[in-house]
């Protein structure tokens, strides 16, 4: 394994210097990426930011920290170490050596999977581009930019695969990844949640908790892929993704902590007047981000996904820890369904139910956050609790797309839904209120009043470190 060479235009550990054609192709894509970053990336002008840059793919020392101007961030191409003995872990090719090239018969499907994953990465940068202007602290501002540069690198990771393995069509798709834009009328991003706005920091924390976590699960399934370069790419991306999860988890922690503190101090639930976010509003934001993220897992059943699995293109979460035959041809699973118009479950073959399997893994993981946040409320001596809404709540994809349900999973008539949705999803009033709290705090060691400071700084630095130098 070669260490990335930072003297190169595109730092990498994929031996780019030995493949002149590929190097030239990527070097000609690079200026387009940079101009996308300038026009669609973070809008707040900065001199430099205390960023983590990947320098190795192994161990604790895989990244270095330092102040860098964002435009000079070295977006590189890094694959996790190659295991020369790796074998396909599931599907009809189980036991075969992992593929180093794309098999002709699976080319279109693999390309599609890579494009869909690739499309989400720059989309989130676009969604978050204006948040710097209202950052609650320099620590948060730095985390936002860290997430942004790494999502940019994840785009590079997918573009590398498209250029290296999918020829001319791959290069065209790589261009398209810069042309589609989040929320655009003419050329929106592929998946719904990535066309929603991220207009305030509560949304940002919820997004990094719930929507980035969808990304973690998608990457987890692609890491199992028989196509080894995809597997190794995703393995390394997951390492960076852990920080994005941390930003979301602790971000919501800190909002809940601050709200709880003000509730206790003033002995009231009605804390909006004290400049913090009331628990019911936090719950509504949670309901929104959770339900749109559930949609990202697709329909409860999918023959495409069954075929991807059988072909070895996309596995299950932690495939190798599953105790079954890894072919699933004789297995069954219960999936959510509408039966005679009612919320129910039906049995389907395990292969067609794979989206449900992945969504359930994700839901179990999400409930971990809710437990954490409720412990904060409990420790503050408060009786209120947050919860995950029912899987049928506010769904636009899958079995429940055509109905409306309450967060308890009670099916509602359209008129009831219309009358009550404002109790469960952020209203314009809620959004305006949350936005009204979003005053920038760009001073060292200071923090906005609606959020508690973090317990730990970044890379052992204190909270009052100069994480960002503004322009
Ligand atoms: Fe990502
Ligand atoms: Fe992420």
């Amino acid at each position: 394994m070669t260490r990335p060479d930072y003297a190169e235009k595109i730092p990498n550990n994929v031996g780019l210097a030995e493949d002149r054609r590929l190097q030239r192709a990527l070097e000609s894509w690079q200026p387009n990426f940079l101009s996308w970053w300038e026009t669609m990336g973070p809008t707040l002008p900065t001199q430099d930011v205390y960023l983590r840059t990947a320098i190795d793919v192994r161990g604790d020392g895989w990244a270095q920290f330092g102040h860098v101007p964002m435009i000079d961030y070295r977006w590189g191409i890094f694959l996790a170490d190659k295991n020369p003995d790796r074998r396909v872990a599931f599907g009809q090719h189980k036991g075969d050596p992992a593929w180093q090239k794309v098999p002709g018969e699976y080319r279109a499907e693999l390309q599609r999977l890579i494009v869909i994953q690739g499309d989400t990465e720059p989309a989130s940068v676009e969604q978050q581009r204006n948040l710097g202007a209202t950052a609650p602290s320099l620590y948060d501002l730095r985390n936002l930019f860290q997430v942004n540069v790494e999502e940019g690198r994840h785009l590079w990771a997918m573009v590398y695969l498209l250029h290296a393995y999918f020829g001319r069509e791959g290069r065209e798709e790589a261009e398209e990844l810069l042309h589609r834009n989040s929320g655009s009328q003419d050329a929106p991003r592929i998946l719904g949640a990535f066309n929603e706005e991220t207009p305030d920091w509560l949304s940002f924390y919820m997004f990094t908790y719930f929507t980035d976590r969808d990304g973690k699960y998608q990457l987890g399934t692609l890491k199992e892929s028989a196509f080894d370069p995809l597997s190794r790419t995703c393995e390394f991306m997951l390492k960076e993704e852990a920080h994005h999860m941390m930003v979301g988890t602790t971000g919501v922690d800190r909002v809940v902590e601050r709200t709880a503190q003000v509730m206790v101090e003033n002995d009231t639930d009605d804390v909006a007047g004290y400049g913090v976010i009331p628990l019911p509003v936090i719950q509504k934001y949670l309901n929104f981000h959770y339900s749109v993220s559930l949609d990202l897992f697709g329909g409860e059943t999918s023959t495409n996904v069954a075929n991807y699995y059988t072909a070895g293109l996309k596995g299950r979460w932690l495939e190798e820890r599953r105790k079954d035959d890894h072919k699933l041809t004789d297995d069954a699973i219960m999936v959510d369904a509408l039966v005679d118009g009612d919320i129910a479950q039906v049995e389907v073959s395990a292969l067609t139910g794979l989206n449900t399997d992945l969504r359930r893994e994700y839901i179990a993981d999400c409930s971990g956050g809710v437990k954490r946040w409720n412990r904060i409320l409990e420790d503050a001596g408060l009786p209120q609790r947050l919860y995950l809404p029912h899987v049928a709540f506010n769904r636009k994809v899958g079995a429940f797309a055509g109905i409306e349900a309450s967060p308890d999973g009670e099916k509602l008539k359209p008129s009831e839904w219309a009358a009550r949705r404002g109790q469960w999803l952020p209203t314009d009033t809620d959004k305006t209120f949350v936005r009204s709290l979003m005053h920038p705090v760009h001073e060292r060691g200071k923090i906005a009043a609606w959020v508690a400071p973090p317990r730990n700084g970044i890379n052992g630095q204190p909270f009052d470190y100069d994480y960002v130098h503004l322009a």
Side-chain angles (χ1 to χ4, degrees), residues 121 124 147 150-151 154 207-208 212-213 215-216 219 240-241 244-245:
E121 311 287 356
S124 64
V147 170
E150 285 174 351
E151 301 304 7
H154 293 173
F207 183 97
T208 40
D212 267 287
R213 190 170 307 272
K216 170 182 158 183
L219 292 175
E240 291 164 315
E241 211 58 57
H244 310 179
M245 304 289 103

Side-chain angles (χ1 to χ4, degrees), residues 66 73 124 148 182 193 214 240 301 321 348 360 420 446 454 468:
Y73 185 80
S124 64
N148 291 163
S182 180
D214 156 73
E240 291 164 315
T301 60
R321 291 203 208 158
V348 300
R360 283 191 188 140
R420 297 178 70 188
K446 296 267 165 64
V468 181

Side-chain angles (χ1 to χ4, degrees), residues 23 43 97 150 204 241 259 267 277 315 324 358 378 389 409 471:
Q23 189 179 35
T43 51
E150 285 174 351
F204 175 64
E241 211 58 57
T259 294
D267 195 20
I277 306 171
D324 51 36
L358 189 63
E378 197 183 333

Side-chain angles (χ1 to χ4, degrees), residues 398-423:
F400 305 130
I403 63 155
E404 297 299 351
S406 73
D408 298 332
E410 180 201 345
K411 202 181 148 201
L412 300 174
K413 293 197 192 83
S415 59
E416 273 177 291
W417 168 256
R420 297 178 70 188
R421 63 170 288 163
Q423 297 169 23

Side-chain angles (χ1 to χ4, degrees), residues 226-410:
F227 178 43
D228 203 42
L230 175 60
S231 165
R232 292 166 57 210
T233 301
C234 291
E235 189 179 334
F236 188 65
M237 288 162 76
L238 278 165
K239 215 169 195 169
E240 291 164 315
E241 211 58 57
H243 175 258
H244 310 179
M245 304 289 103
M246 188 285 284
V247 169
T249 309
T250 59
V252 180
D253 279 359
R254 292 161 52 214
V255 178
V256 173
E257 184 186 332
R258 181 68 187 131
T259 294
Q261 202 177 16
V262 173
M263 285 169 73
V264 170
E265 273 169 20
N266 298 284
D267 195 20
T268 178
D269 302 347
D270 188 11
V271 288
Y274 295 96
V276 299
I277 306 171
L279 283 180
V281 176
I282 298 175
Q283 180 67 55
K284 289 186 201 182
Y285 273 67
L286 185 163
N287 290 348
F288 173 75
H289 286 273
Y290 175 67
S291 55
V292 299
S293 299
L294 288 182
D295 279 345
L296 291 170
F297 292 85
E300 286 69 18
T301 60
S302 164
T303 43
N304 276 344
V305 174
N307 294 337
Y308 293 160
Y309 184 85
T310 301
L313 311 183
K314 188 177 171 184
R316 283 173 294 173
W317 178 252
L318 301 182
E319 180 67 45
E320 276 157 87
R321 291 203 208 158
R322 307 285 185 120
K323 294 196 171 45
D324 51 36
D325 69 356
H326 303 276
K327 296 194 173 181
L328 308 180
T329 44
D330 303 323
D331 299 342
I333 183 177
M334 297 298 289
V335 301
D336 294 319
L338 269 192
V339 178
D340 301 329
D342 290 326
I343 296 169
Q345 294 203 330
V346 292
E347 188 178 283
V348 300
S349 84
L351 282 170
T352 45
L354 281 169
N355 277 349
T356 294
D357 178 81
L358 189 63
R359 181 158 35 226
R360 283 191 188 140
E361 294 287 337
Y362 168 82
I363 291 171
D365 194 359
C366 288
S367 66
V370 174
K371 256 190 216 145
R372 246 180 107 99
W373 305 326
N374 283 337
R375 208 170 308 127
I376 295 171
L377 294 172
E378 197 183 333
D379 289 349
L382 293 169
Q384 290 89 342
R385 296 293 177 262
L386 297 167
Y387 60 87
L388 293 179
H390 191 273
V391 74
F393 172 78
N394 192 40
R395 295 294 303 283
K396 302 285 180 276
V397 173
F400 305 130
I403 63 155
E404 297 299 351
S406 73
D408 298 332
E410 180 201 345

